[in-house]
Amino acid sequence: MKTSTKYIALAIVGVILSTSFIQMQTEGATKEKSDVVQAAAVTASKEPQLPLKGKMIVLDPGHGGKDVGSIGGAGTYEKEVTLQTAQHIGRKLTEQGATVVMTRQADTTISLKGRTEVAQTAHADLFISIHYDAFQSSDVYGMTTYYNKPQDREIARIIHDKLFRQDIQTKDRGVQFGDYHVIRENATPAVLLELGYISNEDEEARMKTESFQEQIATAIVNGVIEGLR
């Protein structure tokens, strides 16, 4: 009987130790799982919030197709440079979380009415029409930003200001009222940018460079971020 009692006691101790070990393992696994969840939450909170997430922007490269726009002294077609600029801006807007729709993505003809309809169909937050100016005299240069409706003046001012906060090396021709179809007949907030004079030799040469395109695209996107806050 004593021997049996001894074995029973040892068995009980074994069960207790085994139970304690299992409990320690369970607690460790639970703690480990909790730590993983907390670490994931911290990582998620550190992910940068894209400033234009949820925003719909329509970019309108001026002219296109049979409508070449203005032609520079070196033979530059406005329709080609406006598309190049819109593509640069579009890429940078996308990087900041925006959904971008282009009124044209190639050398195609699209009516003025068709351009505004793109913005309405997309329920856009902003419509930006890209152009390069021209004048009879080749010594005129600079950039102008146009709005049509009073409520659009502020975002036009912000984008224009961002352009000239950089070392843009051109004349500031200001923010002005413009009676242009694509901003006048647009239910979406809309601006029209004249980003230089294609009739000016220096500006014609500069607008075709990658560095210039990157510079103005960055400035415009910064303006959109601030204007749509």
Side-chain angles (χ1 to χ4, degrees), residues 13-28:
V13 170
V15 169
I16 292 170
L17 289 173
S18 176
T19 303
S20 299
F21 178 71
I22 292 169
Q23 185 177 359
M24 287 172 64
Q25 282 189 317
T26 304
E27 288 175 353

Side-chain angles (χ1 to χ4, degrees), residues 3-222:
T3 303
S4 299
T5 303
K6 181 179 178 182
Y7 286 140
I8 291 169
L10 287 171
I12 292 170
V13 170
V15 169
I16 292 170
L17 289 173
S18 176
T19 303
S20 299
F21 178 71
I22 292 169
Q23 185 177 359
M24 287 172 64
Q25 282 189 317
T26 304
E27 288 175 353
T30 303
K31 183 177 185 300
E32 216 173 279
K33 185 177 180 181
S34 175
D35 288 345
V36 169
V37 171
Q38 288 178 5
V42 169
T43 302
S45 67
K46 288 182 178 179
E47 288 180 359
Q49 294 298 314
L50 297 175
L52 294 176
K53 185 176 181 180
K55 299 297 184 182
M56 173 72 72
I57 313 296
V58 172
L59 297 177
D60 174 41
H63 310 286
K66 62 184 180 183
D67 175 14
V68 301
S70 299
I71 304 175
T76 305
Y77 285 176
E78 183 184 0
K79 68 174 184 177
E80 295 175 352
V81 194
T82 58
L83 182 58
Q84 181 185 0
T85 303
Q87 289 168 339
H88 277 79
I89 298 169
R91 187 185 74 250
K92 290 182 179 293
L93 285 171
T94 302
E95 289 170 356
Q96 296 302 317
T99 300
V100 176
V101 175
M102 304 267 282
T103 58
R104 67 179 180 95
Q105 298 188 43
D107 185 18
T108 53
T109 303
I110 180 169
S111 68
L112 296 177
K113 182 181 179 182
R115 295 170 193 266
T116 58
E117 286 177 348
V118 169
Q120 291 165 17
T121 301
H123 302 290
D125 295 286
L126 182 64
F127 176 98
I128 304 175
S129 192
I130 308 297
H131 289 262
Y132 287 88
D133 224 328
F135 197 68
Q136 298 167 348
S137 173
S138 61
D139 60 346
V140 176
Y141 65 101
M143 294 184 182
T144 316
T145 300
Y146 292 97
Y147 69 96
N148 182 266
K149 301 174 180 65
Q151 62 267 32
D152 296 343
R153 188 184 188 286
E154 181 59 13
I155 195 164
R157 183 197 64 77
I158 291 170
I159 293 173
H160 190 83
D161 181 62
K162 291 296 183 184
L163 283 166
F164 282 90
R165 282 192 182 185
Q166 298 197 49
D167 184 17
I168 208 71
Q169 296 181 346
T170 194
K171 183 176 181 179
D172 183 349
R173 306 188 74 86
V175 177
Q176 301 182 28
F177 172 84
D179 191 26
Y180 299 106
H181 185 281
V182 292
I183 54 177
R184 184 186 67 238
E185 304 299 325
N186 209 322
T188 299
V191 297
L192 186 148
L193 309 179
E194 295 279 9
L195 296 169
Y197 275 74
I198 203 167
S199 52
N200 179 280
E201 182 181 353
D202 293 336
E203 294 209 328
E204 179 188 4
R206 184 174 70 153
M207 66 180 61
K208 294 186 290 184
T209 66
E210 184 71 15
S211 59
F212 174 79
Q213 292 291 336
E214 283 290 307
Q215 184 182 29
I216 59 170
T218 298
I220 291 165
V221 171
N222 287 341

